Amino acid sequence: MKHALELNNVTASYGHGSILHGIDLAVPEGGVTALLGANGAGKTTTLRAICGMIETHGEVRLFGEEITGKSPEAIARMGVAHVPDGRGTFSSLTVMDNLRLGAFTAKKRGNFQRSLDRVFDYFPRLKERVGQHAGTLSGGEQQMLAIGRALMAEPRLILLDEPSIGLAPVIVKQLFEILDQIARDAGVSMLLVEQNSNLALKLASNAALLEVGNLVARGTAKELSQNQEIARAYLGDVAAEGAGA
Amino acid sequence: MTFFLEQLIIGLSSGGIYAIMALALVMIYKSTGHVNLAQGEMAVFSTFIAWTLVQMDVPIWPAILLTVAVSFVGAIVLERVVVRPFAKADDLVVVAVFVGLFLSIHSLAGAIWNYEVKPFPSAFSDGSISLMDDLSIRAHTLGSLLTTGAVLTAVWFFFRYTRLGLALRAAADNHESSRLVGINVSVMLALGWGLAAGIGAVAGVMIAPVTFLDPGMGLAPLIFALAGALLGGITSPFGAALGGLIVGVLEAMVSAYVPYGIEFRELIALMLILSVLLVRPAGLFGEIVTRRV
Amino acid sequence: MTMESTDMTQALSAPRSRKVSLPFARLGYGAAALALLAATGVLEGYELFLASSILSYAIAAMGLNVLMGYNGQISLGHGAFFAIGAYAAAICIDRFAVPFALTPVIAGIVGMGAGWLIGKPALRLEGVYLALATFGLAIATPTVLRSDLFAEWTGGVQGLFLLINPAPEWAGLDLDQSIYLAVVGYFLLFAFLTLRLVRGLNGKAWIATRDNPIAARAMGFDVTRAKTRAFVFSVLACSVGGALQAVAVQFVAPDSFPFFLSISLFTAVVVGGLCSPLVGPLLGAVFIVMVPNVTEEIWQGGSWAVYGGVIIAIMAIQPRGLAGMLGWVKGKLTTHTNRKQQTGRNRPC
């Protein structure tokens, strides 16, 4: 099977402290892969390593092509859109400018209008706020904008870093429904980092689990959610919750 | 009344110069968080280049354009070689480097062109233009006003409507996100310096015919531009430009109507800086700057 | 963040190994003080004048070093206070025939008054903004001194010539010697004060405030008071330095206090070495007095060029300036100095 993304023995560090100790991870083409783990396990670092924002060793392959050591802007141009933690919107720029920036690397400029329509389809709220500064948006709207900006790039792979963080449960539910729809429609591959494992496993087809810089489990989302140990440590009492629902 | 109008036009004319200098300061501040104290000296250096070209019988307008181009390239080199290595250093180190740059550029201009005060030709005719019955204004004053107006409009258009302008604005807003959408931030920072020096050069050649040219010429415009930038908001290009215009008019009015006003122009700029920083640190149109800890 | 906090713990546990080195240090200071006093008999005429000049700039630099190095506030405008001190002394001598050795006291009081007026608002400014405001102060000062409005007192553009009486005849000192001795006296006083302040609770409050104001507040330091004290002390030192300089030159005029003076004081502190309480300011003062002496004969803007180049070079190589380099050399020779002190190049102290 061809992989959208492959990590082979990837290590990464900030300055002297090593965060990732040799990670092997594969993200299949199409669909959502969830990367789970507790706070400080190295999930965000993994994403940063993929898009070249920190010093990385080992091998990172994007659709078979090696991208290790490339600059973030080069990796972005190769079709990786990163929705970073904290959303990373351009707060002093308008919503429209943010979306235009998303399309900065898009290959064909003629597709701009079509991508824009698609983003507004998913997130009608953004259309209403088009002239507003991103910094004045609510948290949920900012997350929508960040995802919308990623879509504007017509990416092959989207990296999502904790999209649910800081948002009300209702908004999170809506957001994940839209993410599900995007994954189905667009045929884009997604790597989703999430602390809320239940939520992530519902959306994802595959999943992997990080523990202090090491990958300790991977498989289909179903396998992982049925694994007793993982369920106890990361998912809360799934069985009980499932029975209740 | 005519006297007032005359002062107003003179004020707007020098205000235009302060406005584009302020804009140059804002461009660098927004993308790096540093105020380029050497901006005035860079403009003076550019003006000397234009002066040399004019001495070599290059017509004034081509000389100005060439100067802008040379300044643009020179500033990019300066940013790359001198400023960039200190990008992540402590505030005090950065201020010291800018002071060092200020001194170096100043003395280099002195070494090349000496300290004699030189007349600088106006890019416009030497005469006056009669606007009303008893109101006539020097052609240079009006021409300078129109030129700075055109520069401000062009800069606004560039940032608002071009892809590169958008990328520059993005780089100024958020380095990390810019890289994630595929913008080469490092190139943008250097470009920002180039643009700032380019429009600074225009300010220099517009002010030199009024104040005459010598290495110390940049000090007063710098403090007025700084006052304008802080008044309008050092994070807001529009605010800074407007602030520059206001400061120019204020300077003209104080010089004309307040006893000893001409002598205390700089002091008034200082008071303005202090009061803005204390009463409304973000300026009229700026955002509150969160302290970088 | 972690680095800053280790810096701070280090700073707060300072002075390192004070108990061991104290007797030696005292001996060293005593010997240096005696040498300065003894120089009265050795140096002559112009040499004495140069020495007086260097020491009076060193006093100003010691104050500014406390403000910038220890407290982390950036000032580009302390030449204004130097000028105020100089004019205060000059007017005292010119108008009221105050004995010259007392003028620094009055200058200090006047300077602190002005410092309070300017410092009260200015101290609310953070980092770069204070640098901008004081940069404005540096540019505005000369224009005010030149003004006709105060010409009756300041002598306007012409300035004031000062008639200075030497010490009484029984002392057996000529004019240069009398002036030099007075300067040495004030220098020793300020050296003592600076060390006491920097090594005491005030110094800890300054460093804590500089490194992490929020943590400093949490630790019970009064941040505003710490900043105000550093500012007032720097202003006091600069106005006393200015007064002594005016006495040494026996003349004040607007052109003696140009914009460049403020930049020179800044240069003295940065080049000499931030956070070296005595050696740094002394080396810096030697630098700003001697460099113009040498270069101005070669080329008018020479000292600007040298200052500019040296500042940038020092920031690139060793932000702790000449004193830091001396320390580094000493460390190489004695090998047992604290290594941590020499790392962390992105921060001067």
Side-chain angles (χ1 to χ4, degrees), chain A:
Chain A
M1 188 167 81
K2 198 179 173 191
H3 291 298
L5 184 74
E6 257 180 292
L7 304 186
N8 294 320
N9 194 23
V10 166
T11 57
S13 57
Y14 295 101
H16 18 263
S18 166
I19 307 287
L20 302 179
H21 320 291
I23 290 205
D24 299 303
L25 176 71
V27 175
E29 206 177 331
V32 180
T33 301
L35 185 60
L36 311 175
N39 234 342
K43 296 169 303 201
T44 296
T45 307
T46 307
L47 295 192
R48 293 172 72 88
I50 293 168
C51 61
M53 285 163 72
I54 52 171
E55 204 185 312
T56 306
H57 299 283
E59 192 187 47
V60 184
R61 286 182 177 279
L62 179 68
F63 293 94
E65 196 176 337
E66 168 129 29
I67 57 167
T68 334
K70 288 202 153 120
S71 70
E73 47 270 34
I75 291 170
R77 277 186 220 114
M78 293 174 73
V80 177
H82 187 169
V83 181
D85 60 336
R87 291 140 201 165
T89 48
F90 298 97
S91 53
S92 71
L93 271 52
T94 61
V95 167
M96 189 60 178
D97 281 342
N98 269 272
L99 294 174
R100 281 168 71 197
L101 282 164
F104 198 76
T105 55
K107 293 261 154 22
K108 291 181 200 131
R109 285 193 211 175
N111 290 352
F112 180 80
Q113 195 54 47
R114 213 184 58 202
S115 301
L116 194 64
D117 289 342
R118 195 160 68 108
V119 168
F120 287 155
D121 254 9
Y122 289 130
F123 306 109
R125 189 81 74 81
L126 290 182
K127 194 169 188 176
E128 297 163 24
R129 304 247 185 265
V130 122
Q132 209 168 314
H133 286 251
T136 63
L137 298 179
S138 72
E141 290 165 345
Q142 290 206 21
Q143 191 64 61
M144 291 174 195
L145 179 58
I147 296 170
R149 190 182 75 201
L151 288 176
M152 291 300 292
E154 302 180 328
R156 295 190 286 174
L157 172 69
I158 299 181
L159 309 176
L160 283 161
D161 199 346
E162 305 246 13
S164 74
I165 207 157
L167 301 181
V170 196
I171 311 273
V172 174
K173 190 162 169 281
Q174 282 174 13
L175 200 65
F176 272 69
E177 276 163 16
I178 297 171
L179 283 176
D180 190 36
Q181 207 183 331
I182 292 171
R184 272 179 234 271
D185 296 352
V188 58
S189 317
M190 282 192 217
L191 177 58
L192 168 73
V193 156
E194 195 42 82
Q195 259 204 83
N196 187 336
S197 307
N198 283 324
L199 208 60
L201 286 176
K202 269 180 211 154
L203 180 65
S205 46
N206 293 286
L209 179 64
L210 263 178
E211 240 168 40
V212 280
N214 293 297
L215 209 60
V216 292
R218 70 191 140 169
T220 62
K222 208 168 176 197
E223 282 164 10
L224 254 71
S225 50
Q226 281 163 356
N227 182 318
Q228 289 292 315
E229 241 172 278
I230 295 171
R232 214 175 10 235
Y234 294 99
L235 304 178
D237 198 351
V238 182
E241 205 180 76

Side-chain angles (χ1 to χ4, degrees), chain C residues 5-342:
Chain C
S5 49
T6 51
D7 271 5
M8 198 155 96
T9 13
Q10 239 182 52
L12 290 176
S13 64
R16 262 175 304 272
S17 64
R18 183 175 165 184
K19 275 183 191 132
V20 187
S21 65
L22 199 58
F24 290 106
R26 281 214 174 133
L27 268 179
Y29 291 141
L34 278 180
L36 280 178
L37 290 169
T40 322
V42 182
L43 303 176
E44 286 173 33
Y46 184 65
E47 293 161 3
L48 276 174
F49 164 73
L50 268 189
S52 304
S53 239
I54 289 171
L55 291 180
S56 48
Y57 279 114
I59 292 172
M62 277 193 276
L64 193 53
N65 186 31
V66 162
L67 183 72
M68 299 210 303
Y70 286 89
N71 200 215
Q73 304 186 61
I74 312 168
S75 171
L76 295 169
H78 264 52
F81 302 114
F82 198 86
I84 287 170
Y87 268 96
I91 292 169
C92 282
I93 293 170
D94 185 55
R95 285 289 170 118
F96 309 108
V98 177
F100 80 89
L102 291 181
T103 55
V105 177
I106 300 165
I109 294 168
V110 174
M112 273 163 58
W116 185 81
L117 271 181
I118 296 174
K120 197 80 185 159
L123 281 179
R124 284 167 52 196
L125 305 177
E126 300 279 353
V128 179
Y129 288 102
L130 182 64
L132 294 183
T134 48
F135 188 67
L137 182 64
I139 297 180
T141 304
T143 61
V144 176
L145 294 179
R146 213 169 283 134
S147 164
D148 291 336
L149 197 58
F150 312 118
E152 198 196 325
W153 291 85
T154 61
V157 186
Q158 267 83 42
L160 298 169
F161 284 93
L162 307 179
L163 195 71
I164 292 172
N165 300 314
E169 218 163 302
W170 50 261
L173 297 167
D174 68 16
L175 183 59
D176 289 326
Q177 287 171 326
S178 319
I179 293 173
Y180 174 75
L181 267 185
V183 174
V184 169
Y186 280 102
F187 175 80
L188 293 177
L189 174 68
F190 270 87
F192 175 74
L193 275 179
T194 306
L195 282 184
R196 278 300 293 264
L197 287 171
V198 161
R199 292 187 173 166
L201 200 58
N202 277 299
K204 288 175 185 169
W206 286 333
I207 293 171
T209 305
R210 174 196 75 195
D211 288 345
N212 194 333
I214 298 164
R217 197 164 273 145
M219 289 163 85
F221 288 117
D222 184 335
V223 169
T224 318
R225 193 162 66 188
K227 287 169 82 174
T228 313
R229 282 191 178 167
F231 193 81
V232 168
F233 181 69
S234 70
V235 167
L236 175 69
C238 279
S239 40
V240 168
L244 292 169
Q245 176 66 17
V247 167
V249 184
Q250 303 173 32
F251 172 62
V252 289
D255 288 341
S256 331
F257 308 97
F259 164 72
F260 188 53
L261 171 67
S262 285
I263 299 296
S264 296
L265 289 177
F266 178 87
T267 308
V269 171
V270 168
V271 170
L274 291 150
C275 293
S276 156
L278 293 185
V279 180
L282 254 178
L283 290 174
V286 171
F287 183 83
I288 61 166
V289 171
M290 298 314 283
V291 165
N293 259 344
V294 178
T295 57
E296 296 286 309
E297 288 180 14
I298 306 167
W299 138 47
Q300 197 184 345
S303 36
W304 293 58
V306 174
Y307 287 15
V310 169
I311 289 177
I312 295 179
I314 279 186
M315 288 300 120
I317 304 164
Q318 170 57 284
R320 284 157 171 257
L322 295 175
M325 287 178 195
L326 271 187
W328 184 80
V329 171
K330 209 169 98 192
K332 280 273 163 185
L333 294 177
T334 55
T335 65
H336 70 270
T337 34
N338 193 338
R339 266 172 198 273
K340 269 185 192 160
Q341 199 181 342
Q342 280 140 31

